[in-house]
Amino acid sequence: MTSMRQGDINFEDAALGTGTVSYYAQDSENNKIHYIPKHTPNLFLSGVSKHLKNKTVLYLGNSQSHSINQLKENDNTMSGYLFNELIDSNITFLTASIPNANLQEHYLLYNYFSQKIPTLKLLIIPIFMDDLRESGIRESYFKQISEEKFSISQNNELAQEINSQLNSFQSSDNNIDSTKVETNKDFNALQETTQDIVERKLNNKLKRNFSFWENRENIRGKYFLNLYKTRNTILGISSQTTRKMIGSRYKKNMNALKLMIEEAEQNNIKVMLVIPPLRQDIKYPYDKNEYEKFKLEIKELADIHSTSFVNIDNIVAGKYWGHSASTQLFKDKDYDFMHFQAAAHKIMADSLKPYILKEL
Amino acid sequence: MIFNSVTFIIFLLIVVSLYWILSAKPRQLLIFASSLIFYGFWRYEYTLVMLLSAVNDYFISLLIYKTKDPKKRKRLLFFSLFVNLGLLFYFKYLLFFADNAISIINLFGFNIPPPNFSIILPLGISFYTFQTISYTVDVYRGFIKPERNFILYGSYVTFFPQLVAGPILRAQEVIGQLKNRAKFKISFLNDGIIRILFGLYLKVVITDNIAPIVDQIYNVPVNGLSAIDVWTKAFLFGFQIYFDFAAYSHIAIGSAKLMGIEFPENFNYPYMAVSFKSFWKRWHISLSSWIRDYLYLPILGVKVQDRSTGGISINQPKTNSANIALFLTWAIMGLWHGASWAFVFWGIYHAILIFVERKISPLTNQISGKTKSLLGWLITLPLAMLSWLPFRENSLENVLIMLKKLFILKGFFNRSFSENTYIIVALLLALTIISFLVHKYLLHRIKKNIYIYSVIIIVTISVLTALDLTFLRPISQFIYFQF
C-alpha cells in the first residue's frame, strides 16, 4: 500500500480562521495528489503520472477539502485518506480545490483535467450553496492554466466567456518579464503606451528603495479587510447571518453544473453530485427553505441525468468544526461552517468510499 | 501620460520647479515642450495630429484678423472648421457613419460587408479640437486678438493639465496667465497640492475600486434584472463616471494652480441639482458652456457669451425653433461623447427632460422654495442617473429592456448582485449628500476658526497622502479619455 506522508502546510491563507491551516495531501514520494490552481499544473500532473494508469477519480472542491482544523501529526484530509484507501483497488483519487470555488471555475478545471487525464472515470462535484453566490474566473487562481494557452474546446456561451477571460490573463502577461515585480494588472491603463516602460522602471526602483512601496499590496489588503470588518460590525453581520441566494449567479453556476454533467456524459465520465457537510448543531447561514430547495434541485438534476447523488450534509458532528477568525471588529473568532478537524475528514472519506467503489 | 501614475507625479515636480525658476521665454517653451512630452507619453506619433489642428488655427486666426472682407473672413473660418471637424470626423466618426451608411444601403437589397478597418482615436481630440475651434471663432467674433507668439499659443492649446479631458478653456482665460507668470504665493502650492491629493483620492481610492463592481454588474444579462437592480446599475455607474471625471478636473485644476494658473471649476455638486437646468450648470461646466456659446445660442440667434463658466443657462425661449435648437444641441452633445446611437439617445433623453421641465415650469413655480428644491432634487437625481445607462451599456436594446423593468413592480426588490453592491451605492449617495451639506453649511464656519481649520487640513492632507500613495497605480484610464 502506498502510504501517505505529511503534506504541505500552507500558512498563507489567513482567511481559513483560528487554528485552521491549508494542507495539500501527497503520496509516499511527496508528490502532491491534491492540486491547487496556484501551483503549476504540469508539475502536479507529472507528479501523479505514475498513478494515472489506474481508473482516476477527480474531486473538485473548495477550501473545505484542503483545510484541517487543529492539525496534529499524521492527520490527513479526506483527499489523502481516500487516495490511500483506494490506491490498492487500482483507483487514483485526486483533488483540485480553490477557496470559494464557484461552479464556473469547476467547469474550467473539469475541462482542463479531462483533457490531461485520459483515465478519468469519475468526477465528484460537491456543491456548496455558499459558493453559488460567487461568479467568474479568478486570475490569481487560473494564471498558471492561462499561461499554458489552454482553452475550453466546447462551443457554448460559458466556455466562450471563460476562454476570453483566460485569454485576457494571457495577453496581460505579454509585456511582463520575470524581473518585474508588480503584477501587470497594476499597469492596465498603460498598455501600448510609451509611459508603460517608464512607469514600470520607476515602480521597481521605488520597490527596491522603499519597503512601504513593496508592501503596498498588503496594506491595500488590510485596508479592505478592515473596511469589510467595519461593515460587518455596523450591520451586525456574522458567520451565522443568513446569506440569501443571488439569482443571476445561482443560475449561471447551475448552468455550469449542467454543462459539466452533459459533457462528462459525452466523454463517458461518471458524475457524482455531493451535498457536502454543513454544521447543523447551531443556526447555519442559509435560509432553510432556500437550502432545502437547493438540495432538491441538485437531486432532481442528478435524477434527470442518472448520475449519483450523495447527501452527506449532516455527517460531521458539531465538535469537529473549527472557528473562523471574526469578520467583525473587536471580536476574536466566529463559528466556521466550512472547515473541520481531520477526524471529520476521515468520516467524510469513509462516507464517500462505498459510493466511489460502487461507481467504478 | 495619465495622472494616476508615479511618472506624472515626478513629471509635475520637475515642470513646476522649473516653471518657478525660469524666466519668461524659456518658461513658455517649458510649458509647450512639457505638454508635448506629456501627450507623447501616450503615443508620440499622435502629437502630429494635435499640432496639425493647432498650426491650422494659428495661421487661420492671424489671417482672419488681418482680413477686412467679411466674406473672406467667413471663408477662412469655414476652412478652419473644415480642418478641425474633418480631423474629428475621420478619427471619431468615420467608422460610425460608414457602418450606418452601409446598413442603409443594405436595406435596399445590397449585401455590403461592414467596414473592416480600425482607427485609433487620438487621446483628447474632442477636447483640443473644441479648444482650437473656440480660439478661431473668438478671433472671428472679435472677442480676442490672435496670439502671434506660436509657443504661447501652442501652450494654450496643449497645456498638459487640461489637454486630454478638459476643462475646455477659452484663450482669454489662459493665454494671459501663461504669458505673465503670477507672483509666487505659498497658497498656490497649498491649494494645488490639496486639489491634486483629493483628485487622486477620488480616482485611485474610490473610482478604481468601484470599477470592477461596475464591470461585474454590467456583465449580468439584463433579462433577469429587477427594478432595484436597474436603479443600482444606473446609480453606481453614475457615481463612477462623476468621481472619475471630477477627479480628473481636480488634478487638472490643482496642477495648473501649482503654477499659479487659475482654471474655472468644471463640476459643482451636479447630483445635488434641483432641476435639469441646474444640473447642466453643474456638470462638465466647460463643455456645456462651450456648447452654449458655439452652438446653442448661435442657432437661437441670441447674443453669445465668452467664458467657459455658467453652463447652459438661458431664459425660457419662446419660439418653436428654440425647441428644435434644444433637441439638436443635445443630440450633438451626445454625439460629442462618442460615435454611437446610445450617446445620441442620452442627449435626446436630456433634451426631453429639459423640454418637459420648461413646459411644467408655470406649475412648479407655484411651489414654495424649500419644498420645490427637495421635490426637484428627488426627481432630478434619479432621472439624471438613469441617463447614464446608455453611456455604459453597449446595446440600446438592453437599455430599453432595463427602462421597462423600472415599471415592473412584481419582484421590485429581487436582487441579482451581491449585497455589497447595494450597500456601496447607498454609501456613495450618503457621502455625496453629506459632503454637499458640509460644503454649503459648515465649511465657511470652520474656516473662521483658524486652529480647527488648520487641524482639519493637516489631518486631511495626511490621510489623503497615505491613501493616495497606497493606492496609486495606473490601473485604469479616466473614463472621459474615450470621449
Side-chain angles (χ1 to χ4, degrees):
Chain A
M1 178 180 160
T2 314
S3 67
M4 275 297 302
R5 288 197 180 168
Q6 188 79 359
D8 273 2
I9 300 171
N10 178 4
F11 293 97
E12 285 170 13
D13 201 344
L16 290 176
T18 321
T20 302
V21 291
S22 298
Y23 181 102
Y24 298 99
Q26 296 179 184
D27 69 7
S28 58
E29 289 161 6
N30 289 342
N31 296 308
K32 286 188 183 66
I33 49 130
H34 189 143
Y35 168 75
I36 179 162
K38 275 190 174 175
H39 300 157
T40 313
N42 278 331
L43 197 68
F44 167 73
L45 286 167
S46 64
V48 295
S49 59
K50 68 169 186 174
H51 305 299
L52 295 182
K53 58 183 186 297
N54 294 336
K55 289 176 189 169
T56 304
V57 180
L58 179 65
Y59 183 94
L60 296 176
N62 68 5
S63 61
Q64 187 176 77
S65 48
H66 65 245
S67 311
I68 301 179
N69 181 254
Q70 312 298 327
L71 178 75
K72 293 187 286 292
E73 208 175 341
N74 297 324
D75 273 355
N76 216 327
T77 56
M78 171 273 301
S79 314
Y81 290 126
L82 276 171
F83 177 86
N84 284 342
E85 288 177 23
L86 292 170
I87 200 86
D88 287 344
S89 311
N90 293 326
I91 295 171
T92 298
F93 186 92
L94 301 176
T95 307
S97 63
I98 324 169
N100 305 318
N102 65 60
L103 290 166
Q104 298 149 56
E105 289 175 318
H106 278 168
Y107 179 63
L108 170 56
L109 281 178
Y110 158 70
N111 269 278
Y112 181 82
F113 284 112
S114 62
Q115 270 192 28
K116 305 279 177 178
I117 306 174
T119 50
L120 182 60
K121 294 292 170 220
L122 175 63
L123 178 69
I124 304 180
I125 312 168
I127 303 137
F128 295 84
M129 187 158 145
D130 202 26
D131 292 338
L132 298 180
R133 288 164 48 87
E134 308 294 333
S135 189
I137 305 297
R138 287 167 289 176
E139 183 172 5
S140 52
Y141 291 113
F142 289 97
K143 211 165 182 64
Q144 302 283 0
I145 284 182
S146 77
E147 276 167 9
E148 286 185 17
K149 309 240 182 299
F150 173 81
S151 64
I152 299 174
S153 55
Q154 302 297 326
N155 188 25
N156 59 60
E157 210 174 298
L158 180 64
Q160 283 168 8
E161 188 185 322
I162 292 173
N163 285 342
S164 109
Q165 278 177 290
L166 282 176
N167 195 36
S168 74
F169 305 160
Q170 283 166 22
S171 54
S172 72
D173 267 357
N174 288 346
N175 299 324
I176 283 192
D177 69 44
S178 55
T179 59
K180 286 167 187 158
V181 241
E182 189 99 49
T183 61
N184 195 66
K185 216 175 170 184
D186 289 346
F187 299 92
N188 246 352
L190 299 178
Q191 280 174 25
E192 294 172 34
T193 66
T194 319
Q195 191 182 343
D196 196 19
I197 304 157
V198 179
E199 186 71 16
R200 284 177 194 278
K201 283 193 173 155
L202 286 171
N203 258 279
N204 286 342
K205 234 177 189 74
L206 285 169
K207 279 190 166 186
R208 278 196 293 271
N209 292 304
F210 300 99
S211 57
F212 163 74
W213 210 261
E214 176 81 52
N215 286 323
R216 288 194 316 151
E217 199 169 340
N218 286 335
I219 300 168
R220 287 195 292 266
K222 282 182 182 162
Y223 171 84
F224 285 118
L225 183 65
N226 282 311
L227 263 186
Y228 166 72
K229 285 186 170 187
T230 308
R231 179 204 73 166
N232 292 344
T233 309
I234 292 169
L235 300 177
I237 298 170
S238 71
S239 67
Q240 283 185 283
T241 304
T242 302
R243 294 159 219 190
K244 299 281 280 179
M245 267 301 116
I246 301 170
S248 60
R249 292 184 178 186
Y250 184 85
K251 274 186 199 161
K252 200 167 179 181
N253 281 312
M254 290 305 275
N255 177 47
L257 180 62
K258 276 177 205 159
L259 289 171
M260 243 185 301
I261 296 170
E262 284 165 12
E263 289 166 24
E265 271 175 353
Q266 285 163 17
N267 294 325
N268 294 320
I269 297 168
K270 291 183 174 176
V271 177
M272 186 188 292
L273 302 183
V274 177
I275 304 293
L278 172 71
R279 184 168 187 171
Q280 303 202 10
D281 60 324
I282 50 173
K283 182 195 166 292
Y284 52 75
Y286 304 142
D287 178 288
K288 202 170 179 198
N289 288 334
E290 269 189 358
Y291 184 56
E292 293 304 323
K293 208 174 136 193
F294 151 77
K295 286 194 289 186
L296 196 67
E297 193 176 344
I298 302 295
K299 167 112 185 39
E300 281 170 2
L301 189 67
D303 290 344
I304 290 167
H305 291 276
S306 307
T307 62
S308 49
F309 171 79
V310 181
N311 181 2
I312 50 170
D313 70 345
N314 59 1
I315 58 163
V316 176
K319 63 180 177 180
Y320 294 123
W321 292 87
H323 279 91
S324 61
S326 175
T327 54
Q328 293 187 4
L329 297 168
F330 322 118
K331 260 178 84 181
D332 286 341
K333 55 184 185 178
D334 217 335
Y335 292 114
D336 188 340
F337 289 90
M338 191 56 74
H339 312 108
F340 36 63
Q341 294 165 18
H345 277 281
K346 182 75 173 81
I347 293 168
M348 197 177 162
D350 291 342
S351 304
L352 286 176
K353 189 180 168 186
Y355 291 104
I356 295 168
L357 289 172
K358 193 178 152 196
E359 288 294 326
L360 299 176
Chain B
M1 195 180 297
I2 64 171
F3 286 163
N4 47 329
S5 63
V6 178
T7 318
F8 176 71
I9 306 281
I10 292 170
F11 168 85
L12 189 64
L13 281 173
I14 296 168
V15 174
V16 170
S17 306
L18 290 173
Y19 182 84
W20 289 109
I21 294 168
L22 295 173
S23 59
K25 279 198 172 168
R27 190 177 66 238
Q28 288 164 14
L29 198 60
L30 166 81
I31 292 294
F32 188 50
S34 58
S35 297
L36 295 182
I37 290 169
F38 176 89
Y39 194 82
F41 261 67
W42 171 63
R43 280 165 190 256
Y44 55 86
E45 63 271 29
Y46 282 85
T47 47
L48 291 175
V49 179
M50 182 171 66
L51 285 175
L52 175 66
S53 171
V55 168
N56 166 62
D57 286 274
Y58 173 75
F59 286 111
I60 298 278
S61 301
L62 287 173
L63 284 173
I64 288 175
Y65 187 68
K66 269 187 200 166
T67 311
K68 299 282 177 245
D69 178 8
K71 280 186 186 169
K72 205 172 169 192
R73 281 165 59 85
K74 198 168 252 180
R75 275 205 295 274
L76 285 165
L77 177 67
F78 280 135
F79 180 75
S80 157
L81 291 175
F82 176 76
V83 173
N84 282 309
L85 296 176
L87 283 173
L88 195 60
F89 180 83
Y90 172 76
F91 285 106
K92 196 166 176 177
Y93 301 105
L94 182 63
L95 268 176
F96 172 68
F97 280 100
D99 204 28
N100 279 281
I102 288 169
S103 300
I104 292 168
I105 293 167
N106 285 347
L107 285 179
F108 296 97
F110 294 91
N111 192 19
I112 304 170
N116 187 22
F117 59 95
S118 63
I119 298 170
I120 294 173
L121 181 68
L123 201 60
I125 190 168
S126 309
F127 290 90
Y128 66 70
T129 303
F130 269 32
Q131 205 147 295
T132 51
I133 288 176
S134 75
Y135 175 80
T136 308
V137 174
D138 283 358
V139 170
Y140 176 80
R141 286 172 174 168
F143 289 170
I144 54 166
K145 286 182 182 174
E147 177 55 55
R148 288 180 185 281
N149 178 344
F150 180 77
I151 299 296
L152 199 55
Y153 159 81
S155 299
Y156 154 67
V157 176
T158 64
F159 191 34
F160 69 86
Q162 46 78 237
L163 176 57
V164 282
I168 304 167
L169 301 171
R170 309 294 164 83
Q172 60 166 344
E173 291 170 326
V174 189
I175 290 183
Q177 296 193 72
L178 290 170
K179 194 173 188 175
N180 304 309
R181 183 178 58 191
K183 201 176 169 199
F184 179 80
K185 286 186 212 161
I186 197 75
S187 64
F188 292 155
L189 296 187
N190 285 344
D191 297 350
I193 287 169
I194 290 176
R195 291 300 289 262
I196 292 170
L197 285 174
F198 188 64
L200 281 176
Y201 167 77
L202 286 179
K203 175 65 181 164
V204 301
V205 183
I206 304 281
T207 318
D208 281 351
N209 289 306
I210 298 175
I213 306 169
V214 174
D215 291 346
Q216 213 169 52
I217 64 175
Y218 275 82
N219 275 334
V220 175
V222 293
N223 286 321
L225 299 181
S226 67
I228 194 72
D229 295 332
V230 176
W231 282 116
T232 304
K233 282 178 79 166
F235 268 75
L236 194 58
F237 180 65
F239 284 122
Q240 187 197 7
I241 196 168
Y242 169 48
F243 291 137
D244 193 272
F245 198 11
Y248 188 94
S249 296
H250 277 298
I251 301 169
I253 291 168
S255 303
K257 187 81 185 180
L258 289 178
M259 293 175 267
I261 295 167
E262 296 281 349
F263 279 180
E265 294 295 333
N266 213 14
F267 290 92
N268 178 22
Y269 293 97
Y271 291 149
M272 298 310 294
V274 295
S275 66
F276 291 99
K277 185 179 164 185
S278 145
F279 180 83
W280 281 106
K281 290 170 80 175
R282 291 163 174 268
W283 177 273
H284 200 175
I285 300 166
S286 64
L287 173 68
S288 45
S289 304
W290 195 99
I291 294 281
R292 174 196 68 207
D293 292 340
Y294 301 97
L295 189 68
Y296 187 57
L297 296 185
I299 294 174
L300 284 176
V302 177
K303 190 174 182 292
V304 296
Q305 300 164 32
D306 57 341
R307 58 193 165 82
S308 63
T309 54
I312 298 187
S313 61
I314 56 161
N315 291 329
Q316 188 165 333
K318 303 220 165 25
T319 58
N320 272 339
S321 62
N323 294 330
I324 296 168
L326 173 76
F327 282 89
L328 184 65
T329 302
W330 254 266
I332 291 173
M333 180 99 104
L335 213 49
W336 176 87
H337 283 89
S340 139
W341 289 114
F343 290 114
V344 178
F345 178 86
W346 171 85
I348 301 284
Y349 173 89
H350 272 283
I352 292 170
L353 293 175
I354 294 168
F355 178 77
V356 172
E357 191 171 271
R358 282 176 182 172
K359 289 288 171 198
I360 62 166
S361 64
L363 283 173
T364 52
N365 286 341
Q366 290 171 14
I367 307 170
S368 68
K370 280 190 178 168
T371 315
K372 186 184 175 184
S373 297
L374 183 64
L375 275 175
W377 178 69
L378 288 173
I379 292 168
T380 306
L381 177 69
L383 290 179
M385 287 298 194
L386 278 185
S387 76
W388 297 120
L389 288 175
F391 248 70
R392 182 62 174 74
E393 188 69 57
N394 290 326
S395 143
L396 205 51
E397 192 188 342
N398 281 350
V399 173
L400 295 173
I401 292 172
M402 284 193 285
L403 291 178
K404 271 188 207 163
K405 299 261 178 192
L406 294 173
F407 300 100
I408 300 172
L409 296 177
K410 195 183 169 198
F412 190 97
F413 289 107
N414 285 353
R415 293 179 293 103
S416 301
F417 316 134
S418 69
E419 292 85 351
N420 272 352
T421 312
Y422 307 92
I423 293 172
I424 288 167
V425 169
L427 262 180
L428 292 173
L429 181 60
L431 285 176
T432 305
I433 297 168
I434 291 167
S435 65
F436 172 74
L437 294 175
V438 168
H439 185 259
K440 191 169 179 185
Y441 298 107
L442 210 58
L443 197 59
H444 63 280
R445 288 184 196 180
I446 296 171
K447 276 184 178 173
K448 281 181 190 162
N449 188 327
I450 190 73
Y451 298 108
I452 295 176
Y453 184 62
S454 304
V455 169
I456 289 174
I457 289 292
I458 290 166
V459 171
T460 307
I461 289 180
S462 310
V463 172
L464 289 182
T465 307
L467 285 170
D468 289 350
L469 287 178
T470 306
F471 282 87
L472 183 70
R473 293 173 295 170
I475 198 166
S476 69
Q477 291 201 342
F478 288 86
I479 295 172
Y480 258 70
F481 281 13
Q482 62 188 289
F483 306 139

